[in-house]
Amino acid sequence: MNRFRTVLCAAMLLAPAIAAAADLLPVEDFARHPQLSMPRLSPDGKYLAVRWDEGSQHALVVYRVEDMSKPASMLRMPKYELPLDINWVGPTRLVVAKGKEFGSIDRPAYTGEILASDIDGKNQDYLYGYDSMYGKRAQTRGRDRGWGFVDGLPDRANGHFYMAVTSWSSESSSSLYDVDASANTRHLVADIGVGNMSFLVGDDGRPRYAYGRNENFDYVVYHRENDHWQQLPAGQVGSFAPVEVAPDQQHIYALYDRGGGPASLVLQDESGANRKVLAAAGFGSVGTIEWTPLPRQPFAAVSETGMPQASYIDPNLPAAKLHRALSLKFPGQYVHFINYSEDGGQLLFSVKSDRNPGTYLLIDTHTYKVRKLFDAAPWIDPAKMAERRPMHFKASDGTELEAILTLPPGRSETGLPMVLLPHGGPIGISDEWSYDDDAQFLANRGYLVLQVNYRGSGGRGEDFQEAGYLKWGTRIQQDLIDGVHWAVGQHYADPARICVYGGSFGGYSAMMTAIRAPGLFKCAVGYAGVYDLKMMYAKGDVRESKTGRSYLTMVIGKDDADLDANSPDKLAYKIDVPVLLIHGEDDQRAPFAQAKAMRAALDAAHKPYEWMSKPGEGHGFYDEKNRVDFYDTLQAFLEKHIGKGA
């Protein structure tokens, strides 16, 4: 649970119309990676820092806002490494947390290293990390043995930032430092004997809270009182995450629900007293929060489920009025305020939808002049993309769940060939209304796509998430199967033409739903899947930390018989449909041995299957040529077993 951080040219981004049935779009359009992402406006509003991606090569790129035609500077990263968090600590100084890409369907992971650079690429420094050969302090500072994260910034840039560190050796301590990003010096602000903690720090530099999942994977919260950390009782925590210290430095903004349900946005005393709900949760927790310029306060909040719609806390605030005006100019899309210049005169914002991967714009808040900066994926025409429709249905035990249907453009909405697309994770991850490459590719090929936010998914509070613990092969799969029955019962799907395809945990679910619901599917596709639960304790990167091992114990358990009873490779004899297995041979999250175990089990059971593997690929194919090959193979497999799309 991380910290969350009118004169208009309507022709900049027209609201997409519902597309008519058209020729198939090139598969390359869905296989390409956006080249620019994660933009951040400098404190003086003159520069834009963005992440630049081209294949396995990544860089931090800085543009002058007045001239986006060419970069002012570029800081290239080693292969597969990328800037995962970008922060301005001054008008010409940047701090970057490094990450590493392990595959296209896995979130990049922080390496724990932090770099700094001037905008011209000079004065580069290594502020934290295990490589002791680099940085101006390399000769005087020993190797850092831990993970470092940028954990906060002063309201006004002063060259400093706050860094949270968790030790490698024990994973049972966290420290908070005030770091001078120019001098490469650190001052210890606080420490606590619990690992993996994030800290809430006010603009006065005083830490208020430490929170996160400890080495046992329990979510814990500590309040700092009189220079001592006091753990909040489990019954008091519920769904609680500190977000930001209020401008008066006496109150905090937080996400909270007493009983572990969907969390509301609240304003409270630092101690937790006098709690006031600013934006109430509904079916889902409050997710995105929109902020005013300095002094920062929230003016709107958005639910983590359904189609995003701003709930205004104070509609009379200038920022709220501006947000409403911009939203009217981009109907059917969501406007998100990314960050302001310190004087509030320049605002960087994005416009996204189910059909638009993202457009980034800058507005002068005095003249209301808007400039389009760039599109995330300029080759995608929103008018040719499919509608994604969030809906609710009742599971077989009466629990209300969210489903997202992606409807093939220009086709009838009844009797469609359908692909069930379970998301990965599974814990804490969810499918959203926003643009989705897989769903859009399949819809463009004429298939209805069903995504279900089953128990264990994020966005609906701690209790809903924990309802998926120890139920990977049972209740979670039943939720997916119930979603298919609902889509058939509502006449969206043709019951004779349904396949299941998923990546990572979705690959596991592709096999398990076919096992749990014989006769429901005509084929199953597992992409970078986990197929042997016991193997997760022996192979793969999850088991490499104590936190990861605690996660496995909590969410899948350690009983061998139970793990075997919920492992597809032990149940391959029950699979009654053709299978396609696709895997990267260098996958660290779901090692290649997982796919080989599933293949061996299908061979032993004399079950039909097709196979694709790629050397040099990790958890999901990253090379665009391999992604094209993957999508072509997937399309051919679906056509063979449920026919061409509508």
Side-chain angles (χ1 to χ4, degrees):
M1 301 175 74
N2 298 318
R3 190 167 311 165
F4 302 109
R5 313 225 173 259
T6 134
V7 180
L8 298 167
C9 179
M12 285 180 183
L13 187 68
L14 298 176
I18 296 177
D23 293 337
L24 300 184
L25 297 174
V27 66
E28 288 79 5
D29 286 357
F30 303 97
R32 294 175 67 180
H33 302 289
Q35 190 172 60
L36 299 177
S37 61
M38 204 188 299
R40 297 292 184 268
L41 186 66
S42 66
D44 59 9
K46 294 181 179 179
Y47 294 93
L48 191 75
V50 298
R51 191 174 96 190
W52 175 89
D53 303 298
E54 188 166 298
S56 58
Q57 297 298 144
H58 309 277
L60 170 68
V61 176
V62 177
Y63 290 92
R64 291 183 180 87
V65 169
E66 63 185 18
D67 181 15
M68 291 286 294
S69 63
K70 60 182 184 298
S73 68
M74 177 180 286
L75 174 62
R76 292 185 179 273
M77 300 286 209
K79 191 175 182 180
Y80 298 118
E81 294 185 0
L82 69 166
L84 198 50
D85 189 15
I86 301 171
N87 296 274
W88 290 93
V89 295
T92 60
R93 188 76 170 161
L94 285 154
V95 167
V96 176
K98 281 177 62 178
K100 192 167 185 179
E101 190 80 66
F102 292 101
S104 62
I105 60 175
D106 197 18
R107 293 179 176 179
Y110 287 98
T111 64
E113 301 167 276
I114 299 178
L115 315 175
S117 175
D118 288 348
I119 55 174
D120 58 5
K122 297 180 180 178
N123 298 316
Q124 294 179 17
D125 207 354
Y126 192 76
L127 303 185
Y128 189 87
Y130 49 82
D131 198 329
S132 60
M133 296 177 60
Y134 298 102
K136 66 178 64 172
R137 299 275 174 179
Q139 302 306 314
T140 61
R141 178 179 291 161
R143 179 178 298 176
D144 292 315
R145 298 184 179 277
W147 294 279
F149 304 94
V150 177
D151 207 31
L153 301 167
D155 283 349
R156 296 192 180 276
N158 62 2
H160 290 238
F161 69 96
Y162 296 108
M163 177 176 71
V165 171
T166 291
S167 169
W168 276 352
S169 57
S170 64
E171 296 183 53
S172 60
S173 67
S174 300
S175 303
L176 180 70
Y177 294 89
D178 180 341
V179 182
D180 184 327
S182 295
N184 194 350
T185 57
R186 349 171 160 150
H187 168 67
L188 182 66
V189 175
D191 57 9
I192 184 172
V194 185
N196 308 315
M197 293 293 100
S198 293
F199 295 87
L200 179 68
V201 185
D203 202 44
D204 55 7
R206 182 169 65 87
R208 268 69 164 183
Y209 280 93
Y211 60 99
R213 291 196 176 274
N214 62 20
E215 60 184 356
N216 295 322
F217 203 69
D218 295 319
Y219 180 70
V220 293
V221 180
Y222 293 82
H223 180 223
R224 190 170 175 85
E225 302 176 18
N226 301 319
D227 294 329
H228 296 286
W229 292 106
Q230 300 293 328
Q231 183 174 357
L232 272 61
Q236 189 177 339
V237 170
S239 291
F240 175 79
V243 174
E244 188 152 321
V245 178
D248 65 5
Q249 301 299 305
Q250 302 300 313
H251 296 80
I252 69 165
Y253 302 109
L255 297 174
Y256 176 75
D257 180 80
R258 182 176 182 180
S264 300
L265 175 65
V266 301
L267 176 68
Q268 63 177 52
D269 293 346
E270 183 185 322
S271 65
N274 300 314
R275 188 172 283 128
K276 175 186 176 183
V277 175
L278 301 180
F283 183 75
S285 297
V286 167
T288 300
I289 300 170
E290 302 293 347
W291 299 88
T292 69
L294 295 175
R296 278 165 54 93
Q297 59 180 306
F299 70 81
V302 181
S303 173
E304 288 199 71
T305 60
M307 187 179 298
Q309 184 173 357
S311 173
Y312 294 103
I313 297 164
D314 182 351
N316 294 316
L317 288 172
K321 292 180 178 179
L322 177 59
H323 188 274
R324 189 187 297 273
L326 288 168
S327 298
L328 290 173
K329 292 294 182 179
F330 300 102
Q333 306 191 74
Y334 184 70
V335 175
H336 172 52
F337 288 4
I338 299 173
N339 75 313
Y340 303 83
S341 58
E342 279 191 355
D343 64 6
Q346 301 293 319
L347 166 63
L348 174 66
F349 71 98
S350 64
V351 177
K352 298 182 180 182
S353 75
D354 54 346
R355 300 175 174 100
N356 175 19
T359 299
Y360 297 89
L361 308 100
L362 190 72
I363 184 170
D364 185 308
T365 61
H366 301 301
T367 66
Y368 299 113
K369 181 180 178 181
V370 175
R371 286 187 55 204
K372 178 178 173 180
L373 300 177
F374 65 92
D375 288 311
W379 56 88
I380 294 293
D381 181 355
K384 295 180 180 178
M385 295 296 108
E387 175 193 359
R388 286 170 57 75
R389 187 180 299 172
M391 305 180 77
H392 292 182
F393 71 94
K394 291 287 184 68
S396 52
D397 66 353
T399 301
E400 190 172 7
L401 300 176
E402 181 184 42
I404 298 176
L405 289 178
T406 306
L407 298 142
R411 278 79 160 186
S412 166
E413 294 186 2
T414 59
L416 292 164
M418 187 177 80
V419 177
L420 171 66
L421 179 57
H423 66 71
I427 305 301
I429 307 298
S430 61
D431 288 309
E432 300 174 347
W433 171 76
S434 55
Y435 182 89
D436 182 303
D437 275 326
D438 279 358
Q440 290 290 354
F441 170 74
L442 293 168
N444 181 257
R445 268 51 187 169
Y447 298 105
L448 172 70
V449 180
L450 169 66
Q451 293 166 287
V452 175
N453 283 321
Y454 45 74
R455 268 160 275 204
S457 301
R460 292 185 59 187
E462 200 72 7
D463 288 350
F464 187 81
Q465 182 171 303
E466 291 181 3
Y469 290 3
L470 304 179
K471 295 180 174 63
W472 280 27
T474 53
R475 186 65 249 182
I476 288 178
Q477 305 311 315
Q478 190 59 50
D479 284 351
L480 291 164
I481 293 164
D482 290 344
V484 174
H485 288 308
W486 165 79
V488 170
Q490 295 295 310
H491 307 294
Y492 290 113
D494 177 352
R497 301 176 65 193
I498 301 173
C499 275
V500 54
Y501 147 63
S504 193
F505 178 83
Y508 168 87
S509 291
M511 300 301 117
M512 287 303 295
T513 51
I515 291 166
R516 299 297 189 215
L520 187 60
F521 302 98
K522 301 302 178 186
C523 61
V525 182
Y527 177 39
V530 170
Y531 307 113
D532 184 330
L533 296 185
K534 275 196 301 191
M535 191 186 292
M536 296 185 73
Y537 285 101
K539 298 178 184 292
D541 60 3
V542 176
R543 68 186 174 89
E544 292 176 355
S545 67
K546 183 174 181 181
T547 304
R549 294 189 294 274
S550 296
Y551 166 83
L552 291 176
T553 300
M554 184 170 289
V555 302
I556 65 173
K558 294 203 71 171
D559 181 81
D560 284 352
D562 190 55
L563 293 173
D564 284 349
N566 290 284
S567 292
D569 70 329
K570 305 299 188 295
L571 305 170
Y573 65 94
K574 293 186 176 183
I575 295 177
D576 60 359
V577 298
V579 166
L580 170 61
L581 296 176
I582 304 172
H583 221 95
E585 295 178 13
D586 291 343
D587 195 336
Q588 300 301 311
R589 180 56 43 86
F592 191 40
Q594 290 277 359
K596 291 191 288 186
M598 191 69 220
R599 179 176 63 179
L602 291 169
D603 279 332
H606 306 291
K607 298 293 182 177
Y609 68 90
E610 296 182 29
W611 175 266
M612 172 188 283
S613 67
K614 296 287 186 181
E617 290 285 11
H619 198 50
F621 296 170
Y622 201 84
D623 183 273
E624 290 181 5
K625 291 181 181 178
N626 288 340
R627 284 169 59 80
V628 169
D629 194 9
F630 158 66
Y631 275 134
D632 283 339
T633 301
L634 174 63
Q635 180 179 345
F637 186 76
L638 294 174
E639 289 181 358
K640 182 189 301 185
H641 298 293
I642 57 173
K644 288 183 178 292

